[in-house]
Amino acid sequence: MLRNTLRTEELISELQSFGTRLADPAAGAESRRGGAGPSDHKAVTIDGVTVMVPVHTAPAFESPYFIEQPDAFGRSRVLRDGLPVGDVSFPLRPRFYDLHTADGIPYSKIAVLHGRDVLATTVLQSCVRYESRAKSCQFCAIGQSLAAGRTIERKTPAQLAEVAKAAVELDGVTHMVMTTGTPPGKDRGAAILAESAAAVKAAVNLPIQVQCEPPDDDAWFGRLYGAGADGLGMHLEAVTEAVRQRIMPGKAQVSVERYFSAYEAAVPVFGRGQVSTYILAGLGDTREEILGVSERLIAIGVYPFVVPFVPIAGTPLENHPAPAPAFMASLLAPLASMLAAGGLTSIGAKAGCAKCGACSALSTYERGHAGSGGCA
Ligand code: SF4
């Protein structure tokens, strides 16, 4: 592969910060638009690592990067300012996308492929935090894919089980992410995640990570684990109260300290490295603030999955800049060292975003520390 001066992790960081233009937007699996969490990106495989690269965002339209039409072997050259800097390929469109449920709903409206081998679903595609833009998380597009008809609001346990079984059998998915909008009520979605995980586990042997806000009662962690969840994500998104109040005023009603008390209760249930949090870099938290909170998280066994913020079209933050590649490198390199020292690894995770790793170059930085730390 051509590399010029860019190492794999640098090329991934650059592509994730700048995004890319595409000669053939239809190459490989469909790109992801809208939905909960990071979006507006497409799965791309670089040096055997599949990552999500923004393609529908404002920075992507102006990106110095351009991916050419795939050749006969499915490889595409990546150009930066017109000069080749590497080769990529695109994961194929999964076969389960061609199927429908008995009541006529396309499987792709129930769950989608993330990265290379992750089945992902938003069990409940609505959220109490999304009722008004004054309260909603400013980066979130959970309502957009629903409004565009690309998904359905509530995926039943039976539908999820049917799709998960097909995705394993037809496309070899190896783990599943179940997230949810936050429903009214104190369990914050844990109850619907528990019933969904139980149904999938009854149908197919597939590791599952569930993701929700900290529920009111820590007993939910045991219930989720007992229902078949192998991992749990409770996502801080931003680490300081000031940034949380500004970017996610509704969700910030649950304090950082409540997240920490929930982590301390969840880790003994799921195990070290099986509880994780998503941290969006580039929203205002400094490098030191993110690394400081990550150090606390790692000490209690929580994997801080730090990803570059992606400005999703149609959200209040669509014109917010993505973080510079140098800022991401200054975060991810020391974070990989901290993870190695703490004995947490992405490959040690049974399921979920830390294991997938596609939204960040973090796991690529981790590979530079292979052998220097234990397995989670
Ligand atoms: S890291 Fe999480 S959100 Fe990103 S592609 Fe993987 S499963 Fe999806």
Side-chain angles (χ1 to χ4, degrees):
M1 171 187 281
L2 273 172
R3 266 283 160 261
N4 285 358
T5 55
L6 289 181
R7 290 179 288 133
T8 299
E9 60 269 33
E10 291 170 330
L11 180 57
I12 293 172
S13 277
E14 291 244 323
L15 285 169
Q16 289 190 324
S17 289
F18 292 122
T20 188
R21 294 167 290 126
L22 297 169
D24 181 7
E30 284 99 328
S31 52
R32 180 166 179 254
R33 302 195 71 148
S39 188
D40 283 11
H41 46 196
K42 187 174 182 78
V44 170
T45 302
I46 305 169
D47 264 357
V49 182
T50 300
V51 294
M52 303 305 283
V53 174
V55 295
H56 297 300
T57 61
F61 298 134
E62 307 286 326
S63 174
Y65 284 93
F66 179 73
I67 299 180
E68 291 184 331
Q69 195 85 24
D71 65 17
F73 303 100
R75 283 191 306 260
S76 300
R77 291 197 312 170
V78 184
L79 309 183
R80 188 192 157 118
D81 296 321
L83 296 174
V85 292
D87 297 332
V88 299
S89 60
F90 298 99
L92 295 177
R93 184 178 193 275
R95 282 181 278 186
F96 79 86
Y97 279 14
D98 294 330
L99 302 181
H100 293 71
T101 61
D103 45 349
I105 299 168
Y107 278 15
S108 60
K109 291 191 178 186
I110 293 166
V112 293
L113 187 73
H114 276 201
R116 181 175 53 85
D117 59 358
V118 186
L119 185 67
T121 186
T122 303
V123 177
L124 177 67
Q125 199 86 25
S126 58
C127 182
V128 286
R129 311 287 189 211
Y130 201 81
E131 282 164 359
S132 85
R133 266 306 187 190
K135 280 200 308 176
S136 77
C137 302
Q138 305 285 291
F139 50 77
C140 183
I142 192 169
Q144 287 178 207
S145 47
L146 184 63
R150 288 190 293 270
T151 188
I152 57 174
E153 181 168 1
R154 176 75 166 92
K155 289 83 173 175
T156 67
Q159 288 169 337
L160 292 167
E162 181 180 340
V163 175
K165 190 165 185 293
V168 169
E169 291 172 356
L170 297 178
D171 297 289
V173 305
T174 61
H175 57 120
M176 182 168 188
V177 170
M178 279 183 191
T179 193
T180 182
T182 303
K186 293 181 175 174
D187 68 272
R188 300 216 165 88
I192 57 173
L193 290 170
E195 66 179 22
S196 302
V200 169
K201 270 289 162 65
V204 63
N205 183 17
L206 184 64
I208 299 168
Q209 185 205 37
V210 293
Q211 302 177 345
C212 60
E213 293 186 35
D216 63 324
D217 182 353
D218 290 343
W220 276 110
F221 302 135
R223 292 179 199 134
L224 285 164
Y225 186 77
D230 298 276
L232 172 66
M234 292 185 288
H235 296 170
L236 281 167
E237 324 285 8
V239 302
T240 56
E241 296 293 2
V243 175
R244 289 167 58 78
Q245 290 288 349
R246 179 166 55 81
I247 300 289
M248 34 196 271
K251 198 172 169 186
Q253 289 166 12
V254 182
S255 69
V256 172
E257 286 317 305
R258 169 58 190 138
Y259 273 78
F260 268 91
S261 72
Y263 296 138
E264 279 161 1
V267 170
V269 175
F270 289 91
R272 276 183 66 80
Q274 307 306 334
V275 177
S276 62
T277 188
Y278 221 93
I279 295 173
L280 299 169
L283 291 176
D285 293 324
T286 65
R287 170 184 182 275
E288 289 67 31
E289 286 163 342
I290 292 175
L291 290 176
V293 167
S294 296
E295 191 170 22
R296 264 184 86 188
L297 291 162
I298 293 167
I300 59 175
V302 174
Y303 186 103
F305 187 50
V306 176
V307 308
F309 162 68
V310 175
I312 301 174
T315 67
L317 294 184
E318 66 179 351
N319 293 315
H320 190 288
F327 177 69
M328 291 310 300
S330 78
L331 267 174
L332 298 183
L335 179 57
S337 302
M338 289 161 53
L339 285 164
L344 301 186
T345 61
S346 53
I347 55 170
K350 295 177 191 166
C353 289
K355 184 177 186 68
C356 167
C359 286
S360 172
L362 179 56
S363 63
T364 320
Y365 280 91
E366 267 187 45
R367 287 199 296 187
H369 290 272
S372 61
C375 184

